[in-house]
Amino acid sequence: MHVRHYGGAGDTMIVLHGGPGAPGYMAPVARGLAGSFRVLEPFQRGSGEEPLTVSRHVSDLHELIESLDCDTKTALVGSSWGAMLALAYAAQYPDRVGPLVLIGCGTFDLEARDRMQATCEERMSNDIKCRMNELNGKVPDPNKRLKAMGELILPVYSYDLVTALQEIEECDAHAYDETWQDMLRLQDEGFYPAAFNVIESPVLMLHGAVDPHPGRMIQASLAPYIPQLEYHEWEKCGHYPWLERAVRDEFFTVLREWLSRNLSQG
């Protein structure tokens, strides 16, 4: 994996992008933490030689963590799919991971996914729907089409953004399809979220009330298996708190203070 490094002093943490297959957009979060921590931003494995599975991504993350020279356990800060990957890693290697932060965490049951889909459908204007339908003909490349789709629906996922620039390097549509289908398979088989019951690390969910991902429903699906789960929600906030005008400063304050407190106790 390509890995970008920030900071250099302090405890080590890894920021995990979502998508799957949308590397680069956690750069603002990494920069915001770099003054207090040593931060790594890996670009998760793309599609190619072998099918992408949750297990493959977990193994890649483990290889990275094992390569670090750290006196303390590594914290994981994941966004969307990246939050799900953080949980999957902690379930497989509970003794190797420190505090976990789940920003705009993805869904773990059909009911939450149905609610999310309905919310998105309600919020989409006719103009967005029309432009979404035109993408197949106008943008034949699936990677460019996935990126264009994300840009189109960003307002549906947001409240009041400071900027619409997400810093995504390049989307990987095949990586998205393969990885997400495997996550759905594992959920259908009952493996997740039940496997999270071995996680002993502190876990914090940071969520926007305007995020189509239904935060309270996702929290409820995780709580039976992660009783130590903490939940913090902002009213005027969508899927990307660090881009939201009303909460971005508080987001970084809450994130830094919670990480500092829990890393010192680890």
mmCIF file of all heavy atoms in Angstrom, residues 128-170:
data_model
loop_
_atom_site.group_PDB
_atom_site.id
_atom_site.type_symbol
_atom_site.label_atom_id
_atom_site.label_comp_id
_atom_site.label_asym_id
_atom_site.label_seq_id
_atom_site.Cartn_x
_atom_site.Cartn_y
_atom_site.Cartn_z
ATOM 1 N N ILE A 128 -30.480 16.302 -9.530
ATOM 2 C CA ILE A 128 -29.448 15.320 -9.181
ATOM 3 C C ILE A 128 -29.797 13.961 -9.758
ATOM 4 O O ILE A 128 -28.937 13.273 -10.320
ATOM 5 C CB ILE A 128 -29.272 15.234 -7.650
ATOM 6 C CG1 ILE A 128 -28.666 16.528 -7.101
ATOM 7 C CG2 ILE A 128 -28.392 14.039 -7.278
ATOM 8 C CD1 ILE A 128 -28.508 16.553 -5.593
ATOM 9 N N LYS A 129 -31.056 13.567 -9.658
ATOM 10 C CA LYS A 129 -31.473 12.274 -10.203
ATOM 11 C C LYS A 129 -31.245 12.220 -11.709
ATOM 12 O O LYS A 129 -30.758 11.196 -12.238
ATOM 13 C CB LYS A 129 -32.940 12.014 -9.892
ATOM 14 C CG LYS A 129 -33.236 11.785 -8.416
ATOM 15 C CD LYS A 129 -34.730 11.603 -8.186
ATOM 16 C CE LYS A 129 -35.028 11.409 -6.704
ATOM 17 N NZ LYS A 129 -36.482 11.276 -6.444
ATOM 18 N N CYS A 130 -31.548 13.289 -12.387
ATOM 19 C CA CYS A 130 -31.374 13.343 -13.839
ATOM 20 C C CYS A 130 -29.893 13.247 -14.200
ATOM 21 O O CYS A 130 -29.512 12.487 -15.103
ATOM 22 C CB CYS A 130 -31.980 14.627 -14.380
ATOM 23 S SG CYS A 130 -31.850 14.803 -16.170
ATOM 24 N N ARG A 131 -29.073 13.990 -13.487
ATOM 25 C CA ARG A 131 -27.637 13.977 -13.770
ATOM 26 C C ARG A 131 -27.006 12.633 -13.416
ATOM 27 O O ARG A 131 -26.075 12.180 -14.086
ATOM 28 C CB ARG A 131 -26.954 15.119 -13.025
ATOM 29 C CG ARG A 131 -27.356 16.496 -13.541
ATOM 30 C CD ARG A 131 -26.957 17.600 -12.609
ATOM 31 N NE ARG A 131 -25.510 17.761 -12.546
ATOM 32 C CZ ARG A 131 -24.905 18.581 -11.690
ATOM 33 N NH1 ARG A 131 -25.614 19.293 -10.815
ATOM 34 N NH2 ARG A 131 -23.578 18.679 -11.689
ATOM 35 N N MET A 132 -27.525 11.976 -12.382
ATOM 36 C CA MET A 132 -27.038 10.637 -12.028
ATOM 37 C C MET A 132 -27.337 9.657 -13.157
ATOM 38 O O MET A 132 -26.501 8.832 -13.530
ATOM 39 C CB MET A 132 -27.698 10.168 -10.733
ATOM 40 C CG MET A 132 -27.228 10.896 -9.481
ATOM 41 S SD MET A 132 -25.704 10.237 -8.802
ATOM 42 C CE MET A 132 -26.311 8.764 -8.029
ATOM 43 N N ASN A 133 -28.537 9.749 -13.711
ATOM 44 C CA ASN A 133 -28.936 8.852 -14.798
ATOM 45 C C ASN A 133 -28.106 9.072 -16.057
ATOM 46 O O ASN A 133 -27.919 8.151 -16.853
ATOM 47 C CB ASN A 133 -30.420 9.033 -15.104
ATOM 48 C CG ASN A 133 -31.320 8.514 -14.002
ATOM 49 O OD1 ASN A 133 -30.949 7.606 -13.271
ATOM 50 N ND2 ASN A 133 -32.507 9.100 -13.887
ATOM 51 N N GLU A 134 -27.626 10.294 -16.248
ATOM 52 C CA GLU A 134 -26.841 10.616 -17.435
ATOM 53 C C GLU A 134 -25.389 10.161 -17.342
ATOM 54 O O GLU A 134 -24.690 10.122 -18.363
ATOM 55 C CB GLU A 134 -26.873 12.129 -17.670
ATOM 56 C CG GLU A 134 -28.242 12.664 -18.064
ATOM 57 C CD GLU A 134 -28.259 14.178 -18.136
ATOM 58 O OE1 GLU A 134 -27.272 14.807 -17.672
ATOM 59 O OE2 GLU A 134 -29.246 14.735 -18.653
ATOM 60 N N LEU A 135 -24.941 9.805 -16.135
ATOM 61 C CA LEU A 135 -23.522 9.484 -15.950
ATOM 62 C C LEU A 135 -23.081 8.272 -16.766
ATOM 63 O O LEU A 135 -21.958 8.240 -17.282
ATOM 64 C CB LEU A 135 -23.219 9.246 -14.468
ATOM 65 C CG LEU A 135 -23.084 10.496 -13.598
ATOM 66 C CD1 LEU A 135 -22.809 10.099 -12.154
ATOM 67 C CD2 LEU A 135 -21.968 11.389 -14.110
ATOM 68 N N ASN A 136 -23.931 7.251 -16.872
ATOM 69 C CA ASN A 136 -23.546 6.043 -17.612
ATOM 70 C C ASN A 136 -23.162 6.355 -19.047
ATOM 71 O O ASN A 136 -22.194 5.797 -19.586
ATOM 72 C CB ASN A 136 -24.679 5.010 -17.590
ATOM 73 C CG ASN A 136 -24.779 4.291 -16.260
ATOM 74 O OD1 ASN A 136 -23.783 4.162 -15.555
ATOM 75 N ND2 ASN A 136 -25.961 3.835 -15.917
ATOM 76 N N GLY A 137 -23.904 7.242 -19.673
ATOM 77 C CA GLY A 137 -23.596 7.584 -21.055
ATOM 78 C C GLY A 137 -22.469 8.582 -21.183
ATOM 79 O O GLY A 137 -21.650 8.502 -22.103
ATOM 80 N N LYS A 138 -22.400 9.520 -20.260
ATOM 81 C CA LYS A 138 -21.412 10.591 -20.357
ATOM 82 C C LYS A 138 -20.038 10.196 -19.825
ATOM 83 O O LYS A 138 -19.016 10.740 -20.252
ATOM 84 C CB LYS A 138 -21.908 11.828 -19.606
ATOM 85 C CG LYS A 138 -23.072 12.544 -20.282
ATOM 86 C CD LYS A 138 -23.418 13.818 -19.542
ATOM 87 C CE LYS A 138 -24.484 14.609 -20.276
ATOM 88 N NZ LYS A 138 -24.836 15.874 -19.575
ATOM 89 N N VAL A 139 -20.010 9.275 -18.847
ATOM 90 C CA VAL A 139 -18.732 8.894 -18.215
ATOM 91 C C VAL A 139 -18.596 7.371 -18.281
ATOM 92 O O VAL A 139 -18.963 6.660 -17.342
ATOM 93 C CB VAL A 139 -18.671 9.374 -16.751
ATOM 94 C CG1 VAL A 139 -17.270 9.147 -16.160
ATOM 95 C CG2 VAL A 139 -19.056 10.846 -16.636
ATOM 96 N N PRO A 140 -18.084 6.837 -19.383
ATOM 97 C CA PRO A 140 -18.005 5.380 -19.547
ATOM 98 C C PRO A 140 -17.012 4.700 -18.609
ATOM 99 O O PRO A 140 -17.197 3.535 -18.265
ATOM 100 C CB PRO A 140 -17.580 5.212 -21.014
ATOM 101 C CG PRO A 140 -16.941 6.498 -21.385
ATOM 102 C CD PRO A 140 -17.636 7.558 -20.592
ATOM 103 N N ASP A 141 -15.968 5.408 -18.203
ATOM 104 C CA ASP A 141 -14.973 4.808 -17.309
ATOM 105 C C ASP A 141 -15.585 4.623 -15.915
ATOM 106 O O ASP A 141 -16.026 5.592 -15.293
ATOM 107 C CB ASP A 141 -13.737 5.699 -17.211
ATOM 108 C CG ASP A 141 -12.669 5.101 -16.324
ATOM 109 O OD1 ASP A 141 -12.738 5.283 -15.089
ATOM 110 O OD2 ASP A 141 -11.763 4.426 -16.855
ATOM 111 N N PRO A 142 -15.637 3.396 -15.386
ATOM 112 C CA PRO A 142 -16.325 3.164 -14.103
ATOM 113 C C PRO A 142 -15.676 3.874 -12.925
ATOM 114 O O PRO A 142 -16.372 4.281 -11.994
ATOM 115 C CB PRO A 142 -16.263 1.636 -13.938
ATOM 116 C CG PRO A 142 -15.144 1.191 -14.826
ATOM 117 C CD PRO A 142 -15.116 2.144 -15.970
ATOM 118 N N ASN A 143 -14.353 4.029 -12.941
ATOM 119 C CA ASN A 143 -13.682 4.718 -11.838
ATOM 120 C C ASN A 143 -14.017 6.206 -11.826
ATOM 121 O O ASN A 143 -14.333 6.777 -10.777
ATOM 122 C CB ASN A 143 -12.167 4.520 -11.942
ATOM 123 C CG ASN A 143 -11.757 3.067 -11.814
ATOM 124 O OD1 ASN A 143 -12.468 2.263 -11.207
ATOM 125 N ND2 ASN A 143 -10.634 2.711 -12.397
ATOM 126 N N LYS A 144 -13.967 6.823 -12.999
ATOM 127 C CA LYS A 144 -14.327 8.237 -13.092
ATOM 128 C C LYS A 144 -15.808 8.448 -12.812
ATOM 129 O O LYS A 144 -16.212 9.457 -12.223
ATOM 130 C CB LYS A 144 -13.954 8.774 -14.466
ATOM 131 C CG LYS A 144 -12.453 8.815 -14.724
ATOM 132 C CD LYS A 144 -12.138 9.341 -16.112
ATOM 133 C CE LYS A 144 -10.633 9.380 -16.350
ATOM 134 N NZ LYS A 144 -10.293 9.859 -17.714
ATOM 135 N N ARG A 145 -16.624 7.472 -13.223
ATOM 136 C CA ARG A 145 -18.067 7.579 -12.981
ATOM 137 C C ARG A 145 -18.380 7.504 -11.485
ATOM 138 O O ARG A 145 -19.224 8.245 -10.982
ATOM 139 C CB ARG A 145 -18.811 6.476 -13.738
ATOM 140 C CG ARG A 145 -20.327 6.616 -13.662
ATOM 141 C CD ARG A 145 -21.020 5.754 -14.707
ATOM 142 N NE ARG A 145 -20.755 4.343 -14.536
ATOM 143 C CZ ARG A 145 -20.067 3.584 -15.387
ATOM 144 N NH1 ARG A 145 -19.540 4.126 -16.472
ATOM 145 N NH2 ARG A 145 -19.888 2.291 -15.170
ATOM 146 N N LEU A 146 -17.681 6.620 -10.753
ATOM 147 C CA LEU A 146 -17.892 6.509 -9.314
ATOM 148 C C LEU A 146 -17.512 7.807 -8.616
ATOM 149 O O LEU A 146 -18.218 8.276 -7.712
ATOM 150 C CB LEU A 146 -17.078 5.344 -8.748
ATOM 151 C CG LEU A 146 -17.201 5.088 -7.247
ATOM 152 C CD1 LEU A 146 -18.644 4.757 -6.874
ATOM 153 C CD2 LEU A 146 -16.270 3.963 -6.811
ATOM 154 N N LYS A 147 -16.409 8.404 -9.051
ATOM 155 C CA LYS A 147 -15.986 9.678 -8.445
ATOM 156 C C LYS A 147 -16.987 10.777 -8.755
ATOM 157 O O LYS A 147 -17.341 11.580 -7.878
ATOM 158 C CB LYS A 147 -14.595 10.061 -8.951
ATOM 159 C CG LYS A 147 -14.003 11.270 -8.236
ATOM 160 C CD LYS A 147 -12.565 11.518 -8.655
ATOM 161 C CE LYS A 147 -11.954 12.681 -7.873
ATOM 162 N NZ LYS A 147 -10.548 12.943 -8.267
ATOM 163 N N ALA A 148 -17.456 10.832 -9.998
ATOM 164 C CA ALA A 148 -18.445 11.841 -10.382
ATOM 165 C C ALA A 148 -19.745 11.661 -9.611
ATOM 166 O O ALA A 148 -20.397 12.632 -9.209
ATOM 167 C CB ALA A 148 -18.703 11.768 -11.889
ATOM 168 N N MET A 149 -20.125 10.415 -9.383
ATOM 169 C CA MET A 149 -21.331 10.120 -8.621
ATOM 170 C C MET A 149 -21.210 10.642 -7.192
ATOM 171 O O MET A 149 -22.135 11.242 -6.642
ATOM 172 C CB MET A 149 -21.588 8.607 -8.619
ATOM 173 C CG MET A 149 -22.909 8.193 -8.013
ATOM 174 S SD MET A 149 -23.111 6.383 -8.036
ATOM 175 C CE MET A 149 -22.928 6.064 -9.793
ATOM 176 N N GLY A 150 -20.034 10.416 -6.587
ATOM 177 C CA GLY A 150 -19.807 10.903 -5.233
ATOM 178 C C GLY A 150 -19.888 12.416 -5.135
ATOM 179 O O GLY A 150 -20.426 12.968 -4.166
ATOM 180 N N GLU A 151 -19.353 13.098 -6.144
ATOM 181 C CA GLU A 151 -19.411 14.557 -6.158
ATOM 182 C C GLU A 151 -20.842 15.057 -6.314
ATOM 183 O O GLU A 151 -21.232 16.054 -5.697
ATOM 184 C CB GLU A 151 -18.529 15.087 -7.288
ATOM 185 C CG GLU A 151 -17.037 14.832 -7.059
ATOM 186 C CD GLU A 151 -16.198 15.118 -8.300
ATOM 187 O OE1 GLU A 151 -16.790 15.373 -9.377
ATOM 188 O OE2 GLU A 151 -14.962 15.090 -8.190
ATOM 189 N N LEU A 152 -21.625 14.351 -7.117
ATOM 190 C CA LEU A 152 -23.017 14.749 -7.342
ATOM 191 C C LEU A 152 -23.868 14.628 -6.077
ATOM 192 O O LEU A 152 -24.709 15.487 -5.797
ATOM 193 C CB LEU A 152 -23.634 13.890 -8.442
ATOM 194 C CG LEU A 152 -23.611 14.426 -9.870
ATOM 195 C CD1 LEU A 152 -24.266 13.428 -10.813
ATOM 196 C CD2 LEU A 152 -24.329 15.771 -9.956
ATOM 197 N N ILE A 153 -23.664 13.559 -5.327
ATOM 198 C CA ILE A 153 -24.524 13.318 -4.166
ATOM 199 C C ILE A 153 -23.956 13.881 -2.875
ATOM 200 O O ILE A 153 -24.569 13.727 -1.818
ATOM 201 C CB ILE A 153 -24.826 11.810 -3.986
ATOM 202 C CG1 ILE A 153 -23.544 11.021 -3.662
ATOM 203 C CG2 ILE A 153 -25.530 11.248 -5.199
ATOM 204 C CD1 ILE A 153 -23.819 9.578 -3.289
ATOM 205 N N LEU A 154 -22.815 14.579 -2.941
ATOM 206 C CA LEU A 154 -22.237 15.153 -1.728
ATOM 207 C C LEU A 154 -23.220 16.045 -0.979
ATOM 208 O O LEU A 154 -23.297 15.969 0.260
ATOM 209 C CB LEU A 154 -20.954 15.923 -2.075
ATOM 210 C CG LEU A 154 -20.190 16.538 -0.897
ATOM 211 C CD1 LEU A 154 -19.748 15.457 0.090
ATOM 212 C CD2 LEU A 154 -18.973 17.330 -1.400
ATOM 213 N N PRO A 155 -24.019 16.883 -1.662
ATOM 214 C CA PRO A 155 -24.997 17.690 -0.919
ATOM 215 C C PRO A 155 -26.027 16.860 -0.159
ATOM 216 O O PRO A 155 -26.530 17.296 0.886
ATOM 217 C CB PRO A 155 -25.676 18.524 -2.024
ATOM 218 C CG PRO A 155 -24.685 18.560 -3.139
ATOM 219 C CD PRO A 155 -23.997 17.224 -3.102
ATOM 220 N N VAL A 156 -26.330 15.678 -0.673
ATOM 221 C CA VAL A 156 -27.290 14.796 -0.007
ATOM 222 C C VAL A 156 -26.720 14.278 1.318
ATOM 223 O O VAL A 156 -27.463 13.985 2.253
ATOM 224 C CB VAL A 156 -27.650 13.613 -0.940
ATOM 225 C CG1 VAL A 156 -28.546 12.598 -0.247
ATOM 226 C CG2 VAL A 156 -28.308 14.132 -2.208
ATOM 227 N N TYR A 157 -25.401 14.203 1.407
ATOM 228 C CA TYR A 157 -24.715 13.662 2.576
ATOM 229 C C TYR A 157 -24.277 14.754 3.553
ATOM 230 O O TYR A 157 -23.643 14.440 4.565
ATOM 231 C CB TYR A 157 -23.476 12.887 2.135
ATOM 232 C CG TYR A 157 -23.753 11.475 1.667
ATOM 233 C CD1 TYR A 157 -24.478 11.230 0.509
ATOM 234 C CD2 TYR A 157 -23.288 10.379 2.394
ATOM 235 C CE1 TYR A 157 -24.730 9.943 0.083
ATOM 236 C CE2 TYR A 157 -23.535 9.093 1.978
ATOM 237 C CZ TYR A 157 -24.268 8.872 0.819
ATOM 238 O OH TYR A 157 -24.520 7.590 0.397
ATOM 239 N N SER A 158 -24.591 16.008 3.253
ATOM 240 C CA SER A 158 -23.976 17.113 3.986
ATOM 241 C C SER A 158 -25.014 18.102 4.502
ATOM 242 O O SER A 158 -26.171 18.116 4.073
ATOM 243 C CB SER A 158 -22.984 17.845 3.073
ATOM 244 O OG SER A 158 -22.072 16.924 2.489
ATOM 245 N N TYR A 159 -24.540 18.990 5.415
ATOM 246 C CA TYR A 159 -25.381 20.065 5.943
ATOM 247 C C TYR A 159 -24.951 21.417 5.361
ATOM 248 O O TYR A 159 -25.654 22.007 4.563
ATOM 249 C CB TYR A 159 -25.319 20.099 7.475
ATOM 250 C CG TYR A 159 -26.201 21.163 8.077
ATOM 251 C CD1 TYR A 159 -27.574 20.973 8.179
ATOM 252 C CD2 TYR A 159 -25.665 22.367 8.535
ATOM 253 C CE1 TYR A 159 -28.402 21.958 8.716
ATOM 254 C CE2 TYR A 159 -26.485 23.356 9.075
ATOM 255 C CZ TYR A 159 -27.846 23.152 9.169
ATOM 256 O OH TYR A 159 -28.665 24.127 9.691
ATOM 257 N N ASP A 160 -23.774 21.905 5.740
ATOM 258 C CA ASP A 160 -23.260 23.186 5.237
ATOM 259 C C ASP A 160 -21.739 23.090 5.183
ATOM 260 O O ASP A 160 -21.067 23.325 6.183
ATOM 261 C CB ASP A 160 -23.703 24.332 6.140
ATOM 262 C CG ASP A 160 -23.173 25.689 5.678
ATOM 263 O OD1 ASP A 160 -22.879 25.836 4.470
ATOM 264 O OD2 ASP A 160 -23.035 26.586 6.530
ATOM 265 N N LEU A 161 -21.215 22.748 4.013
ATOM 266 C CA LEU A 161 -19.788 22.475 3.882
ATOM 267 C C LEU A 161 -18.976 23.751 3.692
ATOM 268 O O LEU A 161 -19.400 24.679 2.997
ATOM 269 C CB LEU A 161 -19.532 21.547 2.698
ATOM 270 C CG LEU A 161 -20.174 20.154 2.747
ATOM 271 C CD1 LEU A 161 -19.765 19.358 1.517
ATOM 272 C CD2 LEU A 161 -19.787 19.419 4.017
ATOM 273 N N VAL A 162 -17.796 23.765 4.296
ATOM 274 C CA VAL A 162 -16.837 24.829 4.055
ATOM 275 C C VAL A 162 -16.298 24.720 2.634
ATOM 276 O O VAL A 162 -16.064 25.714 1.953
ATOM 277 C CB VAL A 162 -15.680 24.753 5.071
ATOM 278 C CG1 VAL A 162 -14.596 25.773 4.749
ATOM 279 C CG2 VAL A 162 -16.196 24.948 6.483
ATOM 280 N N THR A 163 -16.089 23.483 2.192
ATOM 281 C CA THR A 163 -15.616 23.215 0.840
ATOM 282 C C THR A 163 -16.162 21.885 0.363
ATOM 283 O O THR A 163 -16.409 20.982 1.169
ATOM 284 C CB THR A 163 -14.071 23.184 0.781
ATOM 285 O OG1 THR A 163 -13.650 22.833 -0.543
ATOM 286 C CG2 THR A 163 -13.508 22.157 1.757
ATOM 287 N N ALA A 164 -16.354 21.759 -0.942
ATOM 288 C CA ALA A 164 -16.771 20.487 -1.526
ATOM 289 C C ALA A 164 -15.575 19.686 -2.008
ATOM 290 O O ALA A 164 -15.734 18.589 -2.551
ATOM 291 C CB ALA A 164 -17.736 20.732 -2.689
ATOM 292 N N LEU A 165 -14.376 20.211 -1.794
ATOM 293 C CA LEU A 165 -13.161 19.517 -2.207
ATOM 294 C C LEU A 165 -12.856 18.400 -1.222
ATOM 295 O O LEU A 165 -12.518 18.652 -0.065
ATOM 296 C CB LEU A 165 -11.986 20.496 -2.276
ATOM 297 C CG LEU A 165 -10.630 19.913 -2.683
ATOM 298 C CD1 LEU A 165 -10.687 19.357 -4.097
ATOM 299 C CD2 LEU A 165 -9.532 20.967 -2.554
ATOM 300 N N GLN A 166 -12.933 17.148 -1.681
ATOM 301 C CA GLN A 166 -12.737 16.000 -0.792
ATOM 302 C C GLN A 166 -11.317 15.418 -0.861
ATOM 303 O O GLN A 166 -10.958 14.589 -0.028
ATOM 304 C CB GLN A 166 -13.747 14.904 -1.129
ATOM 305 C CG GLN A 166 -15.185 15.256 -0.776
ATOM 306 C CD GLN A 166 -16.119 14.090 -1.009
ATOM 307 O OE1 GLN A 166 -16.587 13.880 -2.121
ATOM 308 N NE2 GLN A 166 -16.359 13.325 0.030
ATOM 309 N N GLU A 167 -10.558 15.800 -1.839
ATOM 310 C CA GLU A 167 -9.176 15.341 -1.993
ATOM 311 C C GLU A 167 -9.071 13.846 -2.314
ATOM 312 O O GLU A 167 -8.048 13.217 -2.024
ATOM 313 C CB GLU A 167 -8.336 15.692 -0.750
ATOM 314 C CG GLU A 167 -8.281 17.165 -0.450
ATOM 315 C CD GLU A 167 -7.299 17.540 0.643
ATOM 316 O OE1 GLU A 167 -6.201 16.946 0.697
ATOM 317 O OE2 GLU A 167 -7.646 18.431 1.457
ATOM 318 N N ILE A 168 -10.111 13.278 -2.907
ATOM 319 C CA ILE A 168 -10.033 11.889 -3.341
ATOM 320 C C ILE A 168 -9.067 11.803 -4.519
ATOM 321 O O ILE A 168 -9.166 12.563 -5.476
ATOM 322 C CB ILE A 168 -11.418 11.362 -3.758
ATOM 323 C CG1 ILE A 168 -12.356 11.338 -2.543
ATOM 324 C CG2 ILE A 168 -11.312 9.961 -4.362
ATOM 325 C CD1 ILE A 168 -13.791 10.976 -2.885
ATOM 326 N N GLU A 169 -8.117 10.884 -4.441
ATOM 327 C CA GLU A 169 -7.110 10.753 -5.491
ATOM 328 C C GLU A 169 -7.718 10.167 -6.765
ATOM 329 O O GLU A 169 -7.723 10.778 -7.812
ATOM 330 C CB GLU A 169 -5.953 9.872 -4.996
ATOM 331 C CG GLU A 169 -5.136 10.518 -3.892
ATOM 332 C CD GLU A 169 -4.305 11.678 -4.383
ATOM 333 O OE1 GLU A 169 -3.692 11.568 -5.455
ATOM 334 O OE2 GLU A 169 -4.270 12.712 -3.684
ATOM 335 N N GLU A 170 -8.216 8.947 -6.657
ATOM 336 C CA GLU A 170 -8.859 8.277 -7.786
ATOM 337 C C GLU A 170 -9.690 7.122 -7.256
ATOM 338 O O GLU A 170 -9.206 6.319 -6.448
ATOM 339 C CB GLU A 170 -7.822 7.744 -8.782
ATOM 340 C CG GLU A 170 -8.441 7.083 -10.006
ATOM 341 C CD GLU A 170 -7.406 6.614 -11.017
ATOM 342 O OE1 GLU A 170 -6.274 7.108 -10.974
ATOM 343 O OE2 GLU A 170 -7.740 5.750 -11.840
#
